[in-house]
Amino acid sequence: MCGILAVLGCSDSSQAKRVRVLELSRRLKHRGPDWSGLYQHGDCFLAHQRLAIVDPASGDQPLYNEDMNIVVTVNGEIYNHEELRKALVGHRFRTGSDCDVIAHLYEEHGENFVDMLDGMFSFVLLDTRDNSFIVARDAIGVTSLYIGWSLDGSVWISSEMKGLIDDCEHFETFPPGHLYSSKAGGFKRWYNHPWYSESIPSAPYDPLVLRKAFEDAVIKRLMSDVPFGVLLSGGLDSSLVAAVTSRYLKETKAAKQWGAQLHSFCVGLEGSPDLKAAKEVADYLGTVHHEFHFTVQDGIDAIEDVIHHIETYDVTTIRASTPMFLMARKIKALGVKMVLSGEGSDEIFGGYLYFHKAPNKEEFHRETCHKIKALHQYDCLRANKAASAWGLEARVPFLDKEFIDVAMSIDPEWKMIKPESGRIEKWVLRKAFDDEEKPYLPKHILYRQKEQFSDGVGYSWIDGLKAHAAQNVTDKMMQNAGNIFPHNTPTTKEAYYYRMIFDRFFPQNSASLTVPGGPSVACSTAKAVEWDSQWSNNLDPSGRAALGVHESAYEPHVPAAIAVGKGANMITKKKKPRIVEVTAPAHPIST
């Protein structure tokens, strides 16, 4: 992932302003440590911090058209850039970068080209002929992006909040699937695929069609001129990403450059469910497996850095981001610059354990739609920023536009969880890859129960966080929480602890408004909490809060007693060991 920063239409075009833009751009340098670029045209500045994945030798940004009167700064990858180049007859490209097509597409089609792009992206395009500009973000929000406005009327764009918080009167998350046009003077949605309307689909389930769509999504993401690997938690989603990558890697250009043996990475507490399951999958697939361990104290020590980089106070995001943040640093130290990850599957297929209680297919489908639309605030935010903190790029094949179209067109009756019929969560995905002749995965991995990443790295991780927060947040502080934090008032000491840290880094009211809130159980939306009356008394984003569903569910109203000290990573209250599946998200590390 790269970092982009743009200041558009500011009242000051002096050298001092240029120096200020450079200073702010350096706040994003962790995202793109390979090169920096800054373009100025009058009162507009476009800055870029590059992480070089495709054409590292000549793809530095900003990028231009032939006449250099259209300028683009981009964060992301355009997987269909070779097809687009062929269609742009008569155009001359300056680099081999996949993002080089954007300026030329604008020349041909004006503002109406964004849906032609197949990839993950955020970009700012400046047309110097009339000083107009457009800003766009990918359909789901895999890449992070913010927009702000200064008192002088200028528009600010940044990959992270930290690039604009000090200079904008107001800022907010740039909505996924949208385009901001200076000519139109506001936002318009460019992404209008059928599922977005939330109407109930009726297409029959075809496992081979679903399988082919996912394989295509993985294969196109193997486009790389640098070493890469896969995040492997041992859960269904990351294991399928690894299995498909391993099966098709040898046929790619990347294999000719870097070899056909896949590297996999996993992280967890010593003895955690993920480490065991990931090792088993890695052995089955024959990957070069790297397993990284951390302790509860290691994670607690990293919390402040995590919140500064992820830019959220959401509890479940911070829980899952911390092990991924630690893992990303180890991966980058091994010389790897890109990884494939399993985010998005649980949202598309209703994989979270609370979906067991969906009352009908209509509510099931609407909940999946709401979850996908919110991904940019949760798992995409985590995957993007936890990896980018160390100059690592995360690609997510489950969030491929074409794959989503296929998966979300299936009659949701097929996705409903029906234990009496042998259908567990994500049954349609599991069945699609249940190949007796050429197995993708061992059966018990293919049908392993869903485990959220923050649980799968080791149950004592979450329990340790709660205990640490309890030591730092008093009952008196909680009594006044509503007065101190009137928006998204923290209801637990853990949430209060994260909020204090967040507000220290991002004190502006605009910053707190970028973070979602509301009641949740096992990562549900607030609406889905109504599916089971028990849940309203046991609100927690952990999968173990899905009482009556998770095999190691919390005991109602009985908090686990845990020991947290230096290096502590064991719960004093013992649970029987079991294998659990990690959420589509973050996956493990290994040395």
Side-chain angles (χ1 to χ4, degrees), residues 66 83-93 104 108:
E66 295 91 339
E83 301 158 40
L84 293 171
R85 283 172 186 263
K86 291 174 184 175
L88 289 163
V89 179
H91 287 261
R92 180 171 53 85
F93 299 92
H104 302 276
E108 289 289 329

Side-chain angles (χ1 to χ4, degrees), residues 214-439:
F214 184 66
E215 288 181 329
D216 289 346
V218 171
I219 291 167
K220 72 176 68 168
R221 282 163 177 77
L222 304 183
M223 175 186 81
S224 176
D225 293 329
V226 298
F228 67 91
V230 296
L231 302 185
L232 179 60
S233 68
L236 174 68
D237 308 324
S238 66
S239 297
L240 284 178
V241 172
V244 174
T245 303
S246 182
R247 184 166 293 199
Y248 291 100
L249 178 59
K250 62 181 180 294
E251 302 168 14
T252 66
K253 294 178 183 177
K256 296 173 184 174
Q257 234 178 331
W258 305 106
Q261 191 165 20
L262 181 64
H263 286 252
S264 57
F265 307 96
C266 181
V267 68
L269 302 177
E270 193 81 49
S272 70
D274 280 2
L275 295 180
K276 179 181 176 182
K279 179 68 165 61
E280 186 176 0
V281 174
D283 289 345
Y284 181 82
L285 298 176
T287 68
V288 180
H289 190 55
H290 307 266
E291 182 178 288
F292 303 117
H293 299 165
F294 76 103
T295 66
V296 170
Q297 192 62 51
D298 291 335
I300 289 171
D301 290 344
I303 288 292
E304 292 205 8
D305 282 342
V306 168
I307 292 174
H308 180 251
H309 277 286
I310 310 301
E311 301 181 325
T312 189
Y313 50 83
D314 175 67
V315 170
T316 187
T317 304
I318 293 169
R319 288 175 177 180
S321 293
T322 304
M324 192 174 188
F325 176 85
L326 297 172
M327 173 175 61
R329 187 175 193 177
K330 290 278 193 178
I331 293 173
K332 186 61 184 289
L334 295 174
V336 172
K337 296 177 74 173
M338 184 270 283
V339 291
L340 272 68
S341 189
E343 282 77 10
S345 172
D346 291 315
E347 287 73 16
I348 294 169
F349 296 105
Y352 293 107
L353 296 184
Y354 73 88
F355 276 93
H356 279 251
K357 299 298 181 77
N360 53 58
K361 73 176 187 179
E362 290 80 13
E363 286 206 43
F364 188 107
H365 181 72
R366 280 191 286 270
E367 178 73 2
T368 61
C369 292
H370 297 162
K371 291 292 292 180
I372 296 170
K373 291 177 182 179
L375 268 168
H376 69 286
Q377 298 174 303
Y378 297 101
D379 289 15
C380 288
L381 182 84
R382 171 185 48 72
N384 181 279
K385 292 182 179 178
S388 294
W390 304 106
L392 182 70
E393 177 171 287
R395 297 182 181 176
V396 285
F398 280 109
L399 297 181
D400 179 81
K401 276 200 304 181
E402 293 175 7
F403 177 74
I404 292 176
D405 284 347
V406 171
M408 293 300 288
S409 69
I410 299 171
D411 186 332
E413 185 66 32
W414 288 97
K415 296 181 183 179
M416 291 283 285
I417 300 164
K418 299 180 178 180
E420 69 280 1
S421 302
R423 292 189 192 176
I424 63 173
E425 64 277 355
K426 294 186 286 193
W427 178 83
V428 293
L429 180 63
R430 300 175 197 269
K431 187 66 176 174
F433 286 90
D434 194 349
D435 190 325
E436 297 290 346
E437 293 183 10
K438 292 181 65 179

Side-chain angles (χ1 to χ4, degrees), residues 8 111 133-137 147 149 155 157 174 178-188 190:
L8 304 157
E111 297 181 355
F133 63 86
I134 60 171
V135 186
R137 188 180 183 188
I147 183 170
W149 295 267
V155 177
I157 304 294
F174 194 101
H178 281 69
L179 178 147
Y180 184 93
S181 167
S182 63
K183 291 179 180 178
F187 293 101
K188 67 176 180 180
W190 63 262

